[in-house]
Amino acid sequence: MNFDKEKIKKDFKNSLISLYAEDVKEATRNHKYYALSEVIKQYTFENWMKTNKHYIYDDVKQVYYFSVEFLLGRLLESNLINLGIRDVCKEALLEMGIDLDELLQAEKDAGLGNGGLGRLAACFIDSMASLSIPGHGNGIRYKYGFFNQKIVNGYQVEVPDDWLKDDYVWEVRRSDQALKVRFGGYLRMEQVNGKLKVYHEGYETVLAVPFDIPIIGYGCDTVNTLRLWNAEPIEREFDLSSFSSGDYIKAIEYKYSVEAITQVLYPDDSNYNNKFLRLKQEYFFVSAGVQSIIRTFKKKKRPIQDLYKYVAIHINDTHPSLVIPELMRILIDEEDLSWEESWNITTKVVSYTNHTIMQEALEIWPVDMVRSLLPRIYSIIEEINRRFIIEILDKYHGDTALADRLSIIKDGSVKMAFLSVVGSHSVNGVSKLHTDILKNQVLSDFYAITPDKFKNVTNGITHRRWLLKINPDLVNLIDDAIGSSWVKEPEKLIELKKYSKDLGFQDEIENVKFKNKQKLINYIKERYSIDINPDSIFDVQAKRLHAYKRQLLNVFHIMFLYNRLLENPNIDVYPRTFIFSAKAAPGYHLAKQIIKLINTVSYKINNDKIIKDKIKVVFLENYGVSLAEKIMPAAEVSEQISTASKEASGTGNMKFMMNGAITLGTLDGANVEIKEAVGDDNIVIFGLKSEEVLNFYKNGGYNSMDLYNSDERIKKVVDELTNGFFNVSGNEFMEIYYHLLKYNDEFFVLKDFDSYVKAQEIIDKLYRDRKRWNEMSIINIACSGRFSSDNSIKKYADEIWNV
Ligand SMILES: *Cc1c(COP(=O)(O)O)cnc(C)c1O
């Protein structure tokens, strides 16, 4: 299609008329946004159809990426970029007196995810489309996405994210492709021709209606699909006229209980929540997704035995792990295959990514819950486990201890990570360090028996969104220096390295950063009426609030710095702006107290005349994809300070780096590989190593109270939590206080304090040497190409999916 200015203008005007019977003059920003988005969506339809036909009727293997979260953010500008029409569209609108950048603000974020895991899924589907890999997302269409955060009086307040209140432009409802998902009921066994058949009866049926979103590849004709499932009542079971008066209430109850399944995203990150409704959600989108895959596959008219040649299913963490028994169910009960045949196919189809080693994040379900909600699925899991244990005992000479350690079902629980490992042909961690920890600690028994299953694929981010879209001035600078081929081949960014010592280029890099800081300053001024010094160091920690991510360590350093400045306002501290942005899970009290602490410290410091504006602390509310896009280009220091071994990869670290920030971090997750990429001189590393942390957990030897008593700086800061220093009640931060001293500081905040303070002093020194800092910044950008999700996806395609 030829997208010239005139065509876009004409289509846009027609769109306004047909949607709202309005012309450009009358239309509100919202209407103009919808009218334009509708036009852009239509532009993708032809290629979407062609892509789908190609996938079905030519012999191409399909990848289905199952994820309970897709944190998409806004789509209009990304779609314009990927279609290659951002500039022409901007001009066309301008000629009608419309500012594209302003229209873009009308789009609500699609916030169907908590954080890193959901954003990874979004980056991956962008990369699959852009690499023309036949890869699709499969997930849940939550009516309410991740909550909106307001800060009231320093506290987090959660506001529902009613993102579907107005129409969502990018989705297409496909009622004709709805499927049925069954819950509850009982099993009946029967011998049929000498074969044991299992019948599932007495169940409740839920209709799964797919909503498809086109995923547009960059600079190619590929348009893949993100399919999100909506739970709806079955007409037949909700036919009010046929119910007697007593059944009327039941019918309404049925409708609401069904709709509840896709009502809300659970707002917990790195934390497993043992909730019945969550299990329902997981099976709901898994069952609908697998059924839909089988239906599509059958259009090829190939024998079902060939499924693995044409289909790869990837599970993003264990939330979709019921894919394994669900596929078994379909192959055995519906396709009439034997157990052995079905198992052979299933394990060839499914692959699994592990995202965490944290105990509290590992999914386990009570046997009773699984059995009552999903009787057939449970019976299959039992059989998978029975056969697996027999195999282990057989192979390892009756090693019952080993068999016991590996059992998928144990102590009345089903261990979803174990089910995922056993039922997949590939298990991968998300950074080198994380994969090593999986192999040597968390899944070491599985690694011992099936070493070839284990692989590493380090996470990545789409450079199209996280650089091309959000940092146009930097992009211009890069293009002028090395041309624009890096957009197709991000590793070419490495060519920037030769400009790292070029003083002219350094100046330009500094100017771009300054300009981006100014933009963020304006945003902050507008919302919070706080004045920020543009020459101060922008030191940012933006990510979920979790104890292991150690925002607390960051705040303690700020409190310490403030104490020093109070003692002597003239000490030579380079001006700094500490920026935080983070949501806490609504039930996570410790995390919420840390938010209150940040805001309390912020209030006190920002209003203290004595310290002469040397430091400022800002908390930006409602962290999400769109806010991240504002923050990254302006950041200079990237705080990646998790307790070593806890952050499986991190992807925020990559976004900051790609926009020229210097990482201040522990040797955790992908920080290790960032260090490897940029070299020791272009990153600031501090703190305990993962082996040391794991050793403390195993053998003890750390006592936080001793540190508190021996280090005056620490004692002062910790005491200020409860002694009225911040003019709040002595109980306000009690949970933090107990966490550190009574429960022995699980995440080594006090232990790493000294090392962190020293690292911050190094940052202070480095920043004063403008040449050195700019050189570091350029090297970070230059080395960021390998963290493009295109790289991760190529590796998945080659080594795991075989596409
Ligand atoms: C990238 C991203 C994350 C993940 O950040 P980490 O620092 O890796 O934890 C979380 N939320 C949003 C909105 C993101 O864009």
Side-chain angles (χ1 to χ4, degrees), residues 173 175 178 180 205-209 232-243 251 254-255 258-259:
R173 181 186 168 97
S175 316
K180 289 171 184 169
T205 308
V206 172
L207 197 66
V209 180
E232 300 181 14
I234 300 250
E235 288 290 342
R236 189 174 43 77
E237 299 190 20
F238 187 62
D239 182 0
L240 286 182
S241 62
S242 73
F243 285 100
Y254 162 70
K255 174 176 149 65
V258 164
E259 287 171 354

Side-chain angles (χ1 to χ4, degrees), residues 414-477:
V414 185
K415 299 177 161 183
M416 305 317 271
F418 287 13
L419 174 63
S420 304
V421 176
V422 174
S424 300
H425 64 87
S426 165
V427 177
N428 75 282
V430 290
S431 72
K432 284 181 188 166
L433 177 68
H434 170 60
T435 300
D436 283 344
I437 295 175
L438 285 182
K439 288 180 183 174
N440 302 325
Q441 322 253 347
V442 186
L443 298 175
S444 58
D445 287 325
F446 285 103
Y447 180 57
I449 62 169
T450 46
D452 297 341
K453 260 193 197 181
F454 286 75
K455 285 156 205 167
N456 175 248
V457 185
T458 301
N459 282 166
I461 55 170
T462 167
H463 60 287
R464 288 167 290 273
R465 179 177 290 261
W466 295 109
L467 177 54
L468 192 58
K469 171 178 184 294
I470 67 173
N471 204 337
D473 292 319
L474 180 57
V475 168
N476 283 336
L477 204 55

Side-chain angles (χ1 to χ4, degrees), residues 71 115-116 119 466 542-543 549 623-625 628 640 647 650-652 655:
L71 189 47
R119 185 53 232 176
W466 295 109
K543 48 178 77 251
K549 291 177 183 278
Y623 189 56
V625 172
Q640 306 300 337
E647 190 74 90
T651 47
K655 299 166 197 166

Side-chain angles (χ1 to χ4, degrees), residues 569-586:
N570 296 317
I571 54 168
D572 188 16
V573 172
Y574 201 95
R576 246 219 250 186
T577 302
F578 295 97
I579 298 170
F580 291 87
S581 198
K583 288 177 185 172

Side-chain angles (χ1 to χ4, degrees), residues 567-756:
E567 267 173 38
N568 179 4
N570 296 317
I571 54 168
D572 188 16
V573 172
Y574 201 95
R576 246 219 250 186
T577 302
F578 295 97
I579 298 170
F580 291 87
S581 198
K583 288 177 185 172
Y588 191 176
H589 300 291
L590 176 64
K592 289 177 122 174
Q593 283 199 356
I594 295 171
I595 289 180
K596 173 65 175 170
L597 177 63
I598 296 168
N599 285 305
T600 305
V601 170
S602 160
Y603 185 79
K604 176 138 182 154
I605 291 181
N606 295 353
N607 294 299
D608 190 337
K609 298 279 178 295
I610 302 171
I611 62 161
K612 297 179 189 147
D613 287 349
K614 270 202 178 134
I615 55 176
K616 285 263 163 89
V617 183
V618 186
F619 187 98
L620 301 179
E621 62 192 355
N622 205 31
Y623 189 56
V625 172
S626 287
L627 182 52
E629 290 174 11
K630 288 185 176 56
I631 292 172
M632 299 300 163
E636 295 179 297
V637 177
S638 162
E639 298 269 359
Q640 306 300 337
I641 60 179
S642 54
T643 310
S645 79
K646 296 289 176 184
E647 190 74 90
S649 161
T651 47
N653 46 5
M654 302 166 186
K655 299 166 197 166
F656 281 102
M657 171 199 195
M658 197 172 268
N659 287 277
I662 310 306
T663 304
L664 165 54
T666 47
L667 282 178
D668 200 14
N671 295 352
V672 176
E673 287 155 77
I674 291 178
K675 172 170 172 280
E676 200 177 277
V678 301
D680 297 358
D681 293 342
N682 300 297
I683 186 167
V684 178
I685 297 292
F686 74 97
L688 292 172
K689 316 257 183 300
S690 59
E691 306 86 51
E692 296 172 308
V693 169
L694 294 169
N695 187 48
F696 275 127
Y697 284 132
K698 216 177 190 171
N699 304 318
Y702 170 52
N703 187 317
S704 62
M705 192 57 94
D706 291 347
L707 256 183
Y708 165 81
N709 285 318
S710 62
D711 188 324
E712 273 171 47
R713 303 166 301 176
I714 291 176
K715 182 161 195 316
K716 191 163 165 78
V717 164
V718 172
D719 286 348
E720 283 168 357
L721 296 176
T722 54
N723 67 9
F725 179 73
F726 289 109
N727 315 314
V728 294
S729 131
N731 292 322
E732 192 75 73
F733 304 121
M734 222 40 190
E735 206 160 322
I736 301 176
Y737 189 87
Y738 281 147
H739 175 80
L740 293 174
L741 296 182
K742 195 166 158 192
Y743 302 112
N744 203 33
D745 185 16
E746 187 184 347
F747 297 106
F748 302 95
V749 172
L750 305 186
K751 182 81 182 159
D752 272 344
F753 179 79
D754 177 64
S755 169
Y756 183 61

